[in-house]
Amino acid sequence: MTTAAATTPGPEGKELPLRERKRLRTRRALVETALARYARDGFERTTLDDITDDVEISKRTFFRYFASKEDVALAPEKEFWAAFLDVLREAELTGPVLGVLHRALITSLERMGEEWERRFAESRRLVERTPALSAHSLQHCAETSDAVLALLSVRLGPLGPLIADDGGPAGPGADELRLRIALEITVAAFRCALHAWSTGPADAGRPELIALTDRAFAAVPGSLDLMARPAAND
């Protein structure tokens, strides 16, 4: 991703048409303006009129790009999950599914543009202190999980039946259940990393987020084996 003043490349490195470049500049201006307003004035106190007046567009034009105040605030996050889906479409799917998802997250983070990193950090800090945005983020994660499940179900094919304790098949839906659990673990691990990153040092960048993501995934096996023990005074 480039800055608004730079040439915007399209597929195969070709420059995008003027109309598309203007659309991208307007979209980027809306995101930048909204994030700055939310950080300065607060999400609840900022109105759509504030944002559209600053960018000098109408509300009708705003709704061509975003569905709501929440939508524009979470634009960097939604850009990331779209990139994640793109990575999964082209990735070599070998080995444990959890490892595939982990690698796809890291690859997606590495591919995002420099300006995206700053906007994403600003967006995540807003999410941490704004319940409405947190709920919207969780909803989008759920929608992305459904999209990932549909994609992997096609690309992976049959995973083989899950065997019940009596030696028989566990019944229909066993493969989908295992795949969804792997997805939920992936989302939980990444959200733990995001929370640590966005509530940590203000100058923490992409390398720190990648390291935190790796650390979260490394903790998964131990989390599954974690034993409950009564406290000494119980």
Side-chain angles (χ1 to χ4, degrees), residues 38-226:
Y38 296 156
R40 188 187 71 191
D41 301 334
F43 176 79
E44 298 295 342
R45 289 192 296 273
T46 300
T47 67
L48 280 183
D49 285 330
D50 293 331
I51 298 170
T52 55
D53 287 350
D54 286 350
V55 183
E56 298 182 338
I57 62 170
S58 66
K59 283 186 179 180
R60 181 178 180 181
T61 300
F62 174 91
F63 287 119
R64 291 175 185 167
Y65 294 88
F66 298 103
S68 64
K69 285 171 53 180
E70 291 85 358
D71 195 26
V72 67
L74 293 179
E77 180 174 326
K78 294 185 177 185
E79 290 168 14
F80 171 78
W81 287 119
F84 177 70
L85 284 167
D86 287 341
V87 168
L88 282 179
R89 289 187 185 98
E90 65 186 38
E92 182 180 357
L93 303 184
T94 59
V97 171
L98 197 62
V100 169
L101 295 170
H102 178 192
R103 291 193 299 272
L105 282 173
I106 300 303
T107 300
S108 302
L109 285 171
E110 291 171 342
R111 288 186 180 181
M112 301 304 290
E114 293 181 6
E115 287 300 310
W116 169 86
E117 181 180 328
R118 175 181 55 79
R119 290 192 293 269
F120 186 54
E122 293 173 359
S123 176
R124 288 308 306 176
R125 285 193 287 269
L126 280 169
V127 169
E128 289 292 337
R129 62 177 184 265
T130 311
L133 290 180
S134 180
H136 196 82
S137 175
L138 288 170
Q139 176 61 35
H140 185 67
C141 273
E143 294 167 358
T144 301
S145 292
D146 288 339
V148 172
L149 181 66
L151 172 63
L152 292 184
S153 295
V154 172
R155 290 208 59 199
L156 290 173
L159 300 177
L162 186 66
I163 304 302
D165 292 339
D166 60 3
D175 288 344
E176 180 179 338
L177 175 62
R178 293 189 296 183
L179 188 54
R180 185 169 286 281
I181 289 173
L183 277 171
E184 294 298 333
I185 291 173
T186 297
V187 171
F190 190 52
R191 291 188 73 83
C192 286
L194 285 175
H195 175 73
W197 183 65
S198 56
T199 59
D203 60 350
R206 191 181 331 221
E208 288 78 11
L209 178 54
I210 290 173
L212 287 166
T213 302
D214 288 339
R215 180 181 178 185
F217 274 88
V220 168
S223 299
L224 298 177
D225 295 334
L226 187 62

Side-chain angles (χ1 to χ4, degrees), residues 28-44:
R28 190 174 295 119
L30 284 169
V31 175
E32 297 272 6
T33 300
L35 291 175
R37 274 278 189 171
Y38 296 156
R40 188 187 71 191
D41 301 334
F43 176 79
E44 298 295 342

